[in-house]
Amino acid sequence: MADASTRSLTALRQSLALAGLARELSPVERIAFGTPSLDEPLGGGIARAALHEVYAPGAADLPAATGFAAALALRAAGSRPVLWVRQDFLDAEAGRLHPPGLAELGLDPSQILLVRVRDGEGALRAGAEAARCAALGATLIEPWGRRASST
């Protein structure tokens, strides 16, 4: 039987899929990477105001996945704040956010609103609430654990 986090993630994916179907009737704003080899296959970039999942299959891949997700958030946010939701034990498992490293990526550390939550379900709830906040430029959520199935 699926745990509460898996059920919450599945429900969130289904809800966003339904919202995506409704949005297909109207033009979708895109965030371009600025590289034709990336942008052209994506129809001009990734969709703005949509859920994008970056998954690290192993611990060695976490820094690259986190950096890529942060770079996407930076492009999406512009001058607005980025909400970054992390489970409270992630610092011990995956390392802390390093402000000088974020600055090297072009993300002003003062632009980040860091929220720590107890578990994956809390991360998903915070992300869902943040999606309703027009003042935020982007939201990153880091649920920890095995990847939840979308079926």
Side-chain angles (χ1 to χ4, degrees), residues 7-144:
R7 287 191 306 270
S8 293
L9 181 58
T10 299
L12 179 60
R13 284 181 176 151
Q14 289 171 345
S15 173
L16 290 169
L18 290 173
L21 289 174
R23 191 171 0 121
E24 285 181 11
L25 301 174
S26 62
V28 175
E29 186 180 346
R30 301 276 176 186
I31 302 167
F33 289 96
T35 303
S37 63
L38 292 173
D39 292 333
E40 288 173 12
L42 295 170
I46 62 170
R48 180 178 291 282
L51 175 67
H52 300 286
E53 182 176 9
V54 177
Y55 176 72
D61 302 311
L62 283 171
T66 301
F68 180 71
L72 287 178
L74 170 68
R75 291 190 78 75
S79 61
R80 294 181 294 165
V82 173
L83 182 72
W84 198 316
V85 183
R86 299 187 97 208
Q87 286 182 245
D88 56 8
F89 66 89
L90 267 175
D91 287 354
E93 294 291 331
R96 288 186 299 231
L97 297 181
H98 186 60
L102 294 171
E104 286 293 319
L105 286 172
L107 186 61
D108 180 356
S110 68
Q111 189 179 3
I112 296 173
L113 305 170
L114 182 61
V115 173
R116 295 182 188 272
V117 296
R118 185 173 39 96
D119 55 24
E121 186 172 353
L124 294 173
R125 287 182 190 276
E129 288 297 319
R132 296 183 183 108
C133 181
L136 294 172
T139 301
L140 292 171
I141 61 171
E142 286 185 277
W144 184 260

